[in-house]
Amino acid sequence: MKATLKRFVKDESGATAIEYGLIAAGISVAIIAVVNSLGAQLKTTFTTVTAKLAAQ
């Protein structure tokens, strides 16, 4: 039992998985922010192009 407890305390694989999960979550948040920003800019660009094409 004591050896099993020592092995459990030394095992860092769960901590590593959590760290990778946090990194992936951070990257996902950054990607979502960039896509939202670009989406707003693209909408403005397409609206301008549509208005200019309709005016011709």
Side-chain angles (χ1 to χ4, degrees), residues 12-36:
E12 294 182 6
S13 62
T16 303
I18 291 171
E19 290 169 357
Y20 283 131
L22 290 173
I23 291 169
I27 291 171
S28 299
V29 168
I31 289 171
I32 290 169
V34 169
V35 168
N36 280 336

